[in-house]
Amino acid sequence: MKIRSLLSLFALSPLASAIPTSIESRALPLVQSNLLRRVLLRSNLLAKSKTLEGFAYATPERNRVFGSPGHNATVNYLYDQIAALGDYYDVELQPFVELYTDGTATLKVNGVDQEAGLFTYSPSGKFTQPLVSVSSSGCEAADYPSTLTGKIALISRGSCEFGLKSARAGAAGAVAAVIYDNVDGPAFAGTLGAAVRPEGPLIPTAGITLARGTALKNQLTGNATLTGDLNIVSIRENRTTYNVIAQTKGGDPNNVLVLTAHTDSVDEGPGINDNGSGTIGLLEVAIQLAKYSVNNAIRFVWVSAEEFGLLGSTFYVASLSDAEKAKIRLNLNFDMIASPNYKYGIYDGDGGAFGMAGAPGSGEAEKLFQDYFTNDAGLKWVPEEFSGRSDYAPFADAGIPAGGLFTGAEGIKTPEEQALFGGQAGVAYDVNYHQAGDNVNNLNMDAFIQNDKAIAHAVATYGRSFESLPPRTLTKMVKREQHGRKTGHRHLDRFLLVE
């Protein structure tokens, strides 16, 4: 079934209602971790990643942003690959409509180009006005001075949503906002999360690096007069896009493992690590799983429009009834699992490292991966902040246990991590993060295959039994006593609501 012939989709009942109510008996051997892992090959992961790259490079935009020809080809490819497995899976496309935005942003301050990035959902606007520095984080109305009316607000990233900062600045009378990063990194941009906010009008908003923003703030602190020339041209249009959902026909449909990965890229490039790696990692496991039977149903959900604020996963979870949510024993999410300067990050489901715990079962999922990397793969690992800033967030918000793996984005590898994983300390985990260079040459195949084997281990383990997980509850993510904070998963800061 292709996107170009989807009219019949709207007559389909939800996937869950099409699943047999009894456990289907299949003449296949019961899945085993070692056997499922053994058939995963680097060559297959690389070949399928090249296919995604080809979809992007076959278009003038050379990307796979949601609703684009490159992304639609990705969706068709996933559907066709699963459908080709015969009657092992029930597979469907789940359509939804979201607002797409694109455009350009330029900023000069006293004639010096600041290499600004555009925040999605930003309105258009062209202004030549003085810059005014905003105190604190810009999350509270009191942070904005009365002198801001008619001027451009300079705001630090951190502590709250980008959209809230833009709305607060607009409510204070600013004509535009410039948000600067709070970590070293390349050109900085993000999303305002939505086209409207209740706190105030969203205003034209651009992003600049920490170094540039700090330099401007220091000059303003020294009573310098800085004039910004800001020009934002924003395009907005509604686009129809699709989640791809495939569930095993065998296995208990009342006890389901849901695995998620987003299928879209940013505008800047083909997105082969972010998140072709998660997309293909799940696809290859799904293909190989079809050789085995399972006791519990396995559901693969490839979600769209993550880069615009977790839109596909949010839509998917919202489409489930409470009864269907209760059948999900665990969500495992895989976003960027082949970063070139990688770490093996395991989401901190019990909150022991970062103070934010998922629903009961999240800690047990974390332990499964810890034990696998330590005992089966013989590899080191580090905890990854379980902050809800990836596609597991809508599941966690619904009280569903969650976890997953992550190899790093624009964050900087520490010397301690270099000692554990090799690579280069002081360099980003993915130097091509959200850039044109995120192609197949950007993949670390060692990390890719090791993480894919870890995914297979989780699928085989939970496909056989959920005995290691506690009974399902509706507990949402909760804070634990903090035991020190490290730099966590910053990947979704560009498009999520937080920071």
Side-chain angles (χ1 to χ4, degrees), residues 342-392:
Y342 68 90
K343 60 180 174 179
Y344 290 122
I346 301 173
Y347 283 115
D348 179 32
D350 66 3
F354 294 97
M356 181 68 75
S362 303
E364 286 78 2
E366 176 189 12
K367 187 177 187 303
L368 178 134
F369 284 124
Q370 291 171 346
D371 290 345
Y372 170 75
F373 275 99
T374 300
N375 301 325
D376 294 270
L379 296 169
K380 304 296 185 182
W381 52 268
V382 291
E384 189 62 40
E385 186 174 10
F386 194 80
S387 61
R389 294 158 70 177
S390 189
D391 274 311
Y392 58 80

Side-chain angles (χ1 to χ4, degrees), residues 36-49 77-78 81-82 85 89 276-292 300 302 337 448-449 452-453 455-456 459:
L36 184 58
R37 285 182 278 137
R38 187 180 301 166
V39 293
L40 297 174
L41 301 176
R42 296 167 186 254
S43 57
N44 288 339
L45 295 175
L46 182 59
K48 289 180 174 63
S49 298
Y77 174 69
L78 291 169
Q81 288 282 303
I82 298 299
L85 298 172
Y89 292 100
S277 61
T279 297
I280 296 304
L282 289 194
L283 176 61
E284 190 60 22
V285 171
I287 290 171
Q288 301 304 330
L289 179 63
K291 300 172 183 176
Y292 303 96
F300 296 89
W302 289 273
I337 60 171
F448 202 169
I449 189 65
D452 210 38
K453 288 178 181 291
I455 295 170
V459 168

Side-chain angles (χ1 to χ4, degrees), residues 259-263 275 278-279 282 301-304 332-335 391:
L259 301 104
T260 48
H262 76 84
T263 56
N275 182 40
T279 297
L282 289 194
V301 183
W302 289 273
V303 294
S304 180
L332 296 176
N333 184 66
F334 304 98
D335 189 353
D391 274 311

Side-chain angles (χ1 to χ4, degrees), residues 273-274 277 335-343 406-409 428-431 442-445 447-448 451:
N273 182 38
D274 179 20
S277 61
D335 189 353
M336 301 183 69
I337 60 171
S339 300
N341 194 29
Y342 68 90
K343 60 180 174 179
F406 175 60
T407 54
Y429 303 108
D430 185 351
V431 296
N442 193 46
L443 298 173
N444 187 295
M445 294 307 299
F448 202 169
N451 276 312

Side-chain angles (χ1 to χ4, degrees), residues 256-333:
V256 184
L257 172 67
V258 174
L259 301 104
T260 48
H262 76 84
T263 56
D264 58 312
S265 75
V266 293
D267 293 281
E268 289 80 359
I272 303 305
N273 182 38
D274 179 20
N275 182 40
S277 61
T279 297
I280 296 304
L282 289 194
L283 176 61
E284 190 60 22
V285 171
I287 290 171
Q288 301 304 330
L289 179 63
K291 300 172 183 176
Y292 303 96
S293 65
V294 290
N295 291 330
N296 298 309
I298 309 296
R299 186 182 306 164
F300 296 89
V301 183
W302 289 273
V303 294
S304 180
E306 183 266 4
E307 300 288 9
F308 279 71
L310 313 184
L311 302 181
S313 55
T314 299
F315 181 86
Y316 173 72
V317 173
S319 73
L320 299 174
S321 67
D322 288 343
E324 289 302 319
K325 291 174 188 174
K327 296 176 183 178
I328 300 174
R329 297 297 302 274
L330 179 67
N331 165 242
L332 296 176
N333 184 66

Side-chain angles (χ1 to χ4, degrees), residues 239-257:
R239 288 186 173 183
T240 300
T241 189
Y242 306 86
N243 295 329
V244 183
I245 307 167
Q247 179 162 313
T248 57
K249 291 186 177 183
D252 184 355
N254 294 312
N255 286 280
V256 184
L257 172 67

